[in-house]
Amino acid sequence: RIMRTPGLIQPGAILTVTMAERLTPHLAALLAQALDDVPGLRLILLDEGASAEEKVPNALIERLPFFVDLNDVQYSKLPAECPQTIPEHPATFIDDDLILIASLASDLGVDSARAPFFALRTAQLLAGLAKHPTVRTDDLTQACSLTLAHRATQMPQDDANEDTADENPTPQDQSDTDADNNDDQVELPQDLVLEAVLAALPKDLLQRLSDPKTAASSGSGAGTKRVGNRRGRPLTPRKTTRISGQTLDLYATLRAAVPWQPLRRKETGRSGLHIRQSDLHVKRFEDSSDRLIIFAVDASGSAAISRLAEAKGAIELLLGEAYARRDHVALISFRGTEAEVLLPPTRSLVQTKRRLSALPGGGGTPLAAGLEVALEVAMTAQQRGMTPKVCILTDGRANVDRSGAANRTQAMEDAETMSRHYVSQGVPALVIDTGNRPERKLKDLADALRAPYIAMPRADAQRLSRAISSAA
């Protein structure tokens, strides 16, 4: 008879998930739905991943407000008692508090709609613990540091203000007067909160990007996961009615058959072990395809000197780790009126360095041509069973269309046309804006590609390598 007992997911329950980086998409979806539907349910995820590839599903990270780094934390130095309990009546807030949190989240590149809500709710609770009737600046400061810092994907940009100040210099007398007046002014709440959040930013700031879903392929590397029956990480055995082309899991089959032995012996009148077709289980493994990172580098005159050096350094750093992850890289340069493949997919560090040293620069920016050649390389890699990802490094100033003519408007239209081909073919991309100031048109192109957008005006090879490796 059916026995019904309460499950783990109950209102007010606290669930602790060990090895959360190994959660399957199905189980992660169930937990995410439970967090949305079950009132008072609390979830603690213990991320024990040993590498960057092992990470907690983004659907759960999106729904959890806090992140605690326990590296180098000694258990003996933790407080013996818990702090105060959550107040029954959180403090009230004003509209300016909500505007401050929303603007700060925008400056940090936090695209989650839940994050500002988490920050506001945390500020209310902190104010309630401190017996404040309304939310104060110190409450907002601590709340934003707890909920927004680990979600940041970019540094706040202040180049526009600096450029404006340079273009409109203040007369000497007026600036002296303003300086005297500013001595008596108190620092604005926005500046205090921003300074606190910047101090709490993680070192791997640019690694916290969403991974786009890619199509399945074959292989045994660090690319897209697939379910097989030959090799890879073992998964839960699956019941089947036929074993053709699959490996029988003897242990799981016997475990399924054992509870029914008394009934089957009584039914047939024969002793011995009774195995039926409904008991059969087969082995399953999770395999990963080889990953290919295709660099489409803007080698035009506007980005040639410093950005090419950064791209070369990033590619060499990625190749240094490619052997363990079975990664491949390819390099495409676009400048003048066309794009060319400087380095076909390879894992050879010696060959890559030789090709990189000969990477030319100068001329126009045929962005559409670079996208077209990169797409051709990616589709060829897909046919070979690899998982490609295109990383586009450009300042966004496309001025040469696909025909080779100098036409800035048509050049961006051609680039947007190519982006639709990327989406239709299921080729993921990553757009890195290397300009001194973020380019709005490049952000729109990233949206058309359904790709992450990273503004890195002051990037070096190491930061660029970490960002690309994480997003890939």
Side-chain angles (χ1 to χ4, degrees):
R1 60 192 181 91
I2 298 178
M3 301 294 294
R4 299 188 182 274
T5 58
L8 293 176
I9 300 178
Q10 297 292 327
I14 301 178
L15 302 182
T16 302
V17 181
T18 59
M19 292 189 294
E21 75 281 357
R22 297 194 176 187
L23 282 173
T24 63
H26 176 69
L27 182 54
L30 292 178
L31 291 175
Q33 183 177 4
L35 288 174
D36 293 340
D37 298 339
V38 180
L41 179 65
R42 284 158 285 182
L43 184 64
I44 301 174
L45 302 179
L46 301 181
D47 185 355
E48 304 173 30
S51 62
E53 286 77 15
E54 296 179 329
K55 54 190 296 187
V56 178
N58 292 324
L60 294 178
I61 296 178
E62 166 77 9
R63 288 167 169 80
L64 300 185
F66 306 118
F67 170 78
V68 180
D69 188 356
L70 297 179
N71 291 322
D72 303 326
V73 175
Q74 298 183 15
Y75 180 77
S76 59
K77 294 185 178 181
L78 295 177
E81 297 181 357
C82 294
Q84 300 172 343
T85 58
I86 296 177
E88 297 182 0
H89 303 288
T92 60
F93 65 93
I94 59 177
D95 293 341
D96 290 344
D97 298 333
L98 186 58
I99 294 174
L100 186 151
I101 293 174
S103 61
L104 181 60
S106 177
D107 293 340
L108 295 173
V110 180
D111 56 1
S112 170
R114 291 184 174 90
F117 169 78
F118 288 149
L120 181 61
R121 178 66 173 170
T122 303
Q124 289 182 274
L125 296 176
L126 290 173
L129 288 174
K131 309 299 182 182
H132 299 160
T134 59
V135 173
R136 299 183 180 180
T137 302
D138 54 343
D139 302 322
L140 288 172
T141 300
Q142 188 175 0
C144 291
S145 299
L146 291 172
T147 57
L148 298 182
H150 65 279
R151 301 175 188 270
T153 60
Q154 68 181 28
M155 295 291 291
Q157 303 294 331
D158 55 359
D159 295 334
N161 295 334
E162 295 176 358
D163 294 342
T164 304
D166 295 339
E167 294 174 0
N168 301 304
T170 305
Q172 182 65 28
D173 297 339
Q174 182 178 352
S175 60
D176 295 339
T177 304
D178 293 341
D180 296 337
N181 294 335
N182 290 335
D183 291 340
D184 299 331
Q185 292 181 356
V186 180
E187 193 170 4
L188 296 177
Q190 295 90 333
D191 299 332
L192 294 174
V193 177
L194 179 59
E195 290 178 2
V197 175
L198 292 179
L201 287 178
K203 296 180 180 180
D204 55 348
L205 169 63
L206 294 175
Q207 296 185 19
R208 304 190 180 279
L209 297 174
S210 301
D211 293 341
K213 296 181 179 180
T214 57
S217 57
S218 60
S220 182
T224 303
K225 293 182 175 61
R226 69 184 184 96
V227 177
N229 63 343
R230 295 295 181 186
R231 61 182 181 178
R233 172 186 163 193
L235 297 177
T236 304
R238 173 172 292 176
K239 182 182 294 187
T240 184
T241 57
R242 51 184 302 180
I243 313 179
S244 176
Q246 304 180 82
T247 303
L248 177 68
D249 192 320
L250 183 59
Y251 175 74
T253 300
L254 292 176
R255 187 172 57 183
V258 164
W260 302 99
Q261 295 307 301
L263 291 176
R264 292 175 182 176
R265 289 169 186 162
K266 182 178 180 180
E267 179 183 354
T268 60
R270 292 184 290 107
S271 60
L273 183 62
H274 295 261
I275 303 293
R276 297 185 179 179
Q277 192 176 27
S278 59
D279 302 326
L280 300 179
H281 284 70
V282 294
K283 293 182 178 180
R284 296 191 306 150
F285 300 93
E286 185 179 73
D287 195 10
S288 297
S289 63
D290 289 352
R291 184 171 62 183
L292 170 64
I293 302 178
I294 304 171
F295 290 88
V297 182
D298 182 359
S300 63
S302 60
I305 300 178
S306 61
R307 300 312 178 188
L308 289 184
E310 295 165 4
K312 294 176 184 179
I315 294 174
E316 292 187 10
L317 289 174
L318 286 173
L319 271 179
E321 305 172 359
Y323 182 79
R325 296 198 306 257
R326 300 179 66 87
D327 285 352
H328 296 71
V329 298
L331 177 62
I332 295 171
S333 168
F334 56 94
R335 69 186 185 97
T337 59
E338 59 183 11
E340 59 177 332
V341 179
L342 296 181
L343 181 68
T346 182
R347 286 196 296 162
S348 171
L349 186 58
V350 176
Q351 182 184 9
T352 302
K353 288 185 176 181
R354 185 164 57 248
R355 298 291 182 89
L356 288 176
S357 62
L359 180 60
T365 307
L367 179 57
L371 292 174
E372 183 177 9
V373 174
L375 180 60
E376 293 175 355
V377 175
M379 294 179 64
T380 302
Q382 282 184 337
Q383 295 173 0
R384 295 170 53 190
M386 305 176 73
T387 301
K389 186 180 187 72
V390 179
C391 297
I392 306 163
L393 286 78
T394 179
D395 58 6
R397 299 182 178 91
N399 51 23
V400 178
D401 59 21
R402 293 179 65 183
S403 65
N407 189 331
R408 189 179 299 274
T409 303
Q410 185 62 39
M412 288 306 301
E413 292 180 358
D414 291 344
E416 293 176 358
T417 301
M418 287 304 306
S419 67
R420 290 193 287 270
H421 291 291
Y422 274 73
V423 175
S424 63
Q425 297 296 331
V427 176
L430 172 67
V431 179
I432 299 180
D433 189 346
T434 59
N436 293 328
R437 185 182 303 173
E439 180 68 31
R440 178 63 188 177
K441 293 182 179 179
L442 204 56
K443 178 65 170 64
D444 296 338
L445 178 64
D447 294 339
L449 286 166
R450 299 180 185 177
Y453 169 82
I454 305 177
M456 300 184 71
R458 303 181 186 88
D460 54 23
Q462 190 171 8
R463 289 181 61 200
L464 193 61
S465 172
R466 289 199 302 264
I468 294 174
S469 178
S470 176

Coordinates of all heavy atoms in Angstrom, one line a residue, residues 93-126:
F93 N 11.9 52.1 4.0 CA 12.9 52.7 3.1 C 12.2 53.8 2.3 O 10.9 53.9 2.3 CB 13.5 51.7 2.2 CG 12.5 51.1 1.2 CD1 12.3 51.6 0.0 CD2 11.8 49.9 1.6 CE1 11.4 51.0 -0.9 CE2 10.9 49.4 0.8 CZ 10.7 49.9 -0.5
I94 N 12.9 54.6 1.6 CA 12.4 55.7 0.8 C 12.8 55.4 -0.7 O 13.6 54.5 -0.9 CB 12.9 57.1 1.2 CG1 14.4 57.1 1.1 CG2 12.4 57.4 2.6 CD1 15.0 58.5 1.4
D95 N 12.2 56.1 -1.6 CA 12.4 55.9 -3.0 C 13.9 56.1 -3.4 O 14.4 55.4 -4.3 CB 11.5 56.7 -3.9 CG 10.0 56.4 -3.8 OD1 9.8 55.2 -3.3 OD2 9.2 57.2 -4.1
D96 N 14.5 57.1 -2.7 CA 15.9 57.3 -3.0 C 16.8 56.1 -2.8 O 17.8 55.9 -3.5 CB 16.4 58.5 -2.2 CG 15.8 59.8 -2.7 OD1 15.2 59.8 -3.8 OD2 15.8 60.8 -2.0
D97 N 16.5 55.3 -1.8 CA 17.3 54.1 -1.5 C 17.2 53.1 -2.6 O 18.2 52.5 -3.0 CB 16.8 53.5 -0.2 CG 16.9 54.4 1.0 OD1 17.8 55.2 1.0 OD2 16.2 54.2 2.0
L98 N 16.0 53.0 -3.1 CA 15.8 52.0 -4.2 C 16.5 52.5 -5.5 O 17.1 51.7 -6.3 CB 14.3 51.9 -4.5 CG 13.9 50.8 -5.5 CD1 14.4 49.5 -5.1 CD2 12.4 50.7 -5.7
I99 N 16.4 53.8 -5.8 CA 17.1 54.4 -6.9 C 18.6 54.2 -6.8 O 19.3 53.9 -7.8 CB 16.8 55.9 -7.1 CG1 15.3 56.1 -7.4 CG2 17.6 56.6 -8.1 CD1 14.8 57.5 -7.4
L100 N 19.2 54.4 -5.6 CA 20.6 54.2 -5.4 C 21.0 52.8 -5.7 O 22.0 52.5 -6.3 CB 20.9 54.6 -3.9 CG 22.4 54.7 -3.6 CD1 22.7 55.7 -2.5 CD2 22.9 53.3 -3.1
I101 N 20.3 51.8 -5.2 CA 20.6 50.4 -5.4 C 20.5 50.1 -6.8 O 21.4 49.4 -7.4 CB 19.7 49.5 -4.5 CG1 19.9 49.7 -3.0 CG2 19.8 48.1 -4.9 CD1 19.0 49.0 -2.1
A102 N 19.5 50.5 -7.5 CA 19.3 50.2 -8.9 C 20.4 50.8 -9.8 O 20.9 50.1 -10.7 CB 17.9 50.7 -9.4
S103 N 20.8 52.0 -9.5 CA 21.8 52.6 -10.3 C 23.2 52.0 -10.0 O 24.0 51.8 -11.0 CB 21.9 54.1 -10.0 OG 22.2 54.3 -8.6
L104 N 23.4 51.6 -8.8 CA 24.7 50.9 -8.5 C 24.7 49.5 -9.2 O 25.8 49.1 -9.7 CB 24.8 50.7 -7.0 CG 26.1 50.1 -6.5 CD1 27.3 50.9 -6.9 CD2 26.1 49.9 -4.9
A105 N 23.6 48.8 -9.2 CA 23.6 47.5 -9.8 C 23.9 47.7 -11.3 O 24.6 46.9 -12.0 CB 22.2 46.8 -9.6
S106 N 23.3 48.8 -11.9 CA 23.5 49.0 -13.3 C 25.0 49.3 -13.6 O 25.6 48.9 -14.6 CB 22.6 50.1 -13.8 OG 22.9 50.5 -15.2
D107 N 25.6 50.1 -12.8 CA 27.0 50.5 -12.9 C 28.0 49.3 -12.8 O 29.0 49.2 -13.5 CB 27.5 51.5 -11.9 CG 26.8 52.9 -12.1 OD1 26.3 53.1 -13.3 OD2 26.7 53.7 -11.2
L108 N 27.6 48.3 -12.0 CA 28.4 47.1 -11.8 C 28.1 46.0 -12.8 O 28.7 44.9 -12.8 CB 28.2 46.5 -10.4 CG 28.6 47.4 -9.2 CD1 28.2 46.8 -7.9 CD2 30.2 47.6 -9.3
G109 N 27.1 46.3 -13.7 CA 26.8 45.3 -14.7 C 26.0 44.1 -14.2 O 26.0 43.0 -14.8
V110 N 25.2 44.3 -13.1 CA 24.4 43.3 -12.6 C 23.1 43.3 -13.3 O 22.3 44.2 -13.2 CB 24.2 43.5 -11.1 CG1 23.3 42.4 -10.5 CG2 25.5 43.5 -10.3
D111 N 22.8 42.2 -14.1 CA 21.6 42.2 -14.9 C 20.5 41.4 -14.3 O 19.5 41.1 -14.9 CB 21.9 41.6 -16.3 CG 22.6 40.2 -16.2 OD1 22.7 39.7 -15.1 OD2 22.9 39.6 -17.3
S112 N 20.6 41.0 -13.1 CA 19.6 40.2 -12.4 C 18.6 41.2 -11.8 O 18.9 42.1 -11.1 CB 20.2 39.4 -11.3 OG 19.2 38.8 -10.5
A113 N 17.3 40.9 -12.0 CA 16.2 41.7 -11.4 C 16.1 41.4 -10.0 O 15.5 42.2 -9.2 CB 14.9 41.5 -12.2
R114 N 16.5 40.2 -9.5 CA 16.4 39.8 -8.1 C 17.4 40.5 -7.2 O 17.2 40.7 -6.1 CB 16.5 38.3 -8.0 CG 15.4 37.5 -8.6 CD 15.6 36.0 -8.3 NE 14.4 35.2 -8.7 CZ 14.3 34.7 -9.9 NH1 15.3 34.8 -10.8 NH2 13.3 33.9 -10.2
A115 N 18.6 40.8 -7.8 CA 19.7 41.4 -7.0 C 19.3 42.7 -6.3 O 19.6 42.8 -5.1 CB 20.9 41.6 -7.9
P116 N 18.7 43.7 -7.0 CA 18.3 44.9 -6.2 C 17.3 44.6 -5.1 O 17.4 45.2 -4.1 CB 17.8 45.8 -7.3 CG 18.4 45.3 -8.6 CD 18.5 43.8 -8.4
F117 N 16.4 43.7 -5.4 CA 15.5 43.3 -4.3 C 16.2 42.7 -3.1 O 15.9 43.0 -2.0 CB 14.4 42.3 -4.9 CG 13.6 41.7 -3.8 CD1 12.5 42.4 -3.3 CD2 13.8 40.4 -3.4 CE1 11.7 41.8 -2.3 CE2 13.0 39.8 -2.4 CZ 11.9 40.6 -1.9
F118 N 17.2 41.8 -3.4 CA 17.9 41.2 -2.3 C 18.6 42.3 -1.5 O 18.7 42.3 -0.3 CB 19.0 40.2 -2.8 CG 18.4 38.9 -3.3 CD1 18.9 38.3 -4.4 CD2 17.2 38.4 -2.8 CE1 18.4 37.1 -4.9 CE2 16.6 37.3 -3.3 CZ 17.2 36.6 -4.3
A119 N 19.2 43.3 -2.2 CA 20.0 44.3 -1.5 C 19.0 45.2 -0.7 O 19.4 45.5 0.5 CB 20.7 45.2 -2.6
L120 N 17.9 45.5 -1.2 CA 16.9 46.3 -0.4 C 16.4 45.6 0.8 O 16.3 46.1 1.9 CB 15.8 46.8 -1.3 CG 14.7 47.7 -0.7 CD1 15.3 49.0 -0.2 CD2 13.6 47.9 -1.6
R121 N 16.1 44.3 0.6 CA 15.5 43.5 1.7 C 16.6 43.3 2.8 O 16.3 43.4 4.0 CB 15.1 42.1 1.2 CG 14.6 41.2 2.2 CD 13.3 41.6 2.9 NE 12.8 40.6 3.7 CZ 11.8 40.8 4.6 NH1 11.2 42.0 4.6 NH2 11.3 39.9 5.4
T122 N 17.9 43.1 2.4 CA 18.9 43.0 3.4 C 19.2 44.3 4.1 O 19.4 44.3 5.3 CB 20.2 42.6 2.6 OG1 20.0 41.4 1.9 CG2 21.4 42.4 3.6
A123 N 19.1 45.4 3.4 CA 19.2 46.7 4.1 C 18.1 46.9 5.2 O 18.4 47.4 6.3 CB 19.2 47.8 3.1
Q124 N 16.9 46.5 4.8 CA 15.8 46.6 5.8 C 16.1 45.8 7.0 O 15.8 46.2 8.2 CB 14.5 46.2 5.1 CG 14.0 47.2 4.1 CD 12.7 46.7 3.5 OE1 12.6 46.0 2.6 NE2 11.6 47.2 4.1
L125 N 16.6 44.5 6.8 CA 16.8 43.6 7.9 C 18.0 44.1 8.8 O 17.9 44.0 10.0 CB 17.1 42.2 7.4 CG 15.9 41.6 6.7 CD1 16.3 40.2 6.2 CD2 14.7 41.4 7.6
L126 N 19.0 44.6 8.2 CA 20.1 45.2 8.9 C 19.7 46.4 9.7 O 20.2 46.5 10.9 CB 21.3 45.5 8.0 CG 22.0 44.4 7.3 CD1 23.0 44.9 6.2 CD2 22.7 43.5 8.3

